[in-house]
Amino acid sequence: MRSLRIVVADDEPITRIDVKKMLTELGHQVVGEARNGAMALELVQKLRPDLVILDVRMAKMDGIKAAKLITGQKLCAVLLLTAYSEEEVLNRALDAGIMGYLTKPVAKKELEPSLRIAWVRYQDLMALKHKKLELIGARDRDIRREKIKNTGGAVS
């Protein structure tokens, strides 16, 4: 897998340091660090990383709300990091459009597969969205051609 540009967001500095160290050892570049969801969203919008790792529970804006905004704007892949595995948290995370889920404490051996899956799924999703836009454009051109053909050249 190619080296990814990653933003790490967690309200616990020690977790950010540990995750950053593991990512660097795996050959990835941590381009930004945030201590809350609002800061993470701002960094992602500014830096346009390949992926963001968001803790679920953070001040100002939780990781799931930040994930929903990031995925809604199609900014990058989102990997959620949490010490919690409750059903409600998982359901909110799925609704937010995350690409992967890691539990704390993060194990280096689990990090790379999670990154790879999140990145590939994000690329697949972006390719599908691009194809959808192409198909909509082709359909709209066909509709215009049909109108021109049926009206003898006059289209309103």
Side-chain angles (χ1 to χ4, degrees):
M1 183 166 101
R2 75 173 182 87
S3 175
L4 298 176
R5 297 175 64 251
I6 300 171
V7 167
V8 177
D10 194 301
D11 56 347
E12 298 174 20
I14 203 80
T15 300
R16 284 196 315 267
I17 291 166
D18 288 346
V19 171
K20 181 179 180 177
K21 182 176 185 260
M22 285 185 264
L23 290 168
T24 303
E25 288 171 357
L26 290 168
H28 302 291
Q29 180 185 7
V30 176
V31 295
E33 295 180 54
R35 64 183 174 276
N36 62 58
M39 187 182 207
L41 176 61
E42 186 178 308
L43 281 174
V44 167
Q45 289 170 330
K46 179 181 171 188
L47 301 172
R48 298 296 176 136
D50 298 312
L51 186 137
V52 61
I53 298 174
L54 297 168
D55 183 27
V56 170
R57 302 222 169 125
M58 293 184 288
K60 293 193 180 181
M61 178 189 301
D62 75 15
I64 296 174
K65 184 170 183 179
K68 190 167 190 131
L69 293 168
I70 290 165
T71 60
Q73 295 174 41
K74 300 169 190 68
L75 297 172
C76 68
V78 177
L79 189 59
L80 210 57
L81 175 62
T82 184
Y84 310 95
S85 57
E86 300 121 14
E87 189 72 20
E88 183 266 335
V89 171
L90 183 58
N91 289 334
R92 284 185 61 220
L94 289 169
D95 288 342
I98 65 160
M99 297 285 141
Y101 195 88
L102 278 171
T103 54
K104 291 180 183 179
V106 178
K108 188 175 173 182
K109 67 179 183 172
E110 294 172 4
L111 186 55
E112 184 68 20
S114 295
L115 291 171
R116 179 176 288 174
I117 289 168
W119 177 245
V120 169
R121 291 291 169 249
Y122 180 73
Q123 293 302 303
D124 291 347
L125 181 63
M126 291 301 101
L128 285 172
K129 289 182 185 274
H130 181 72
K131 186 66 173 172
K132 177 183 173 184
L133 291 174
E134 285 178 359
L135 291 171
I136 289 170
R139 181 200 64 198
D140 292 348
R141 284 188 300 278
D142 290 346
I143 290 170
R144 282 194 299 277
R145 285 187 194 121
E146 190 63 29
K147 280 184 180 179
I148 290 169
K149 180 178 152 187
N150 291 337
T151 60
V155 178
S156 55

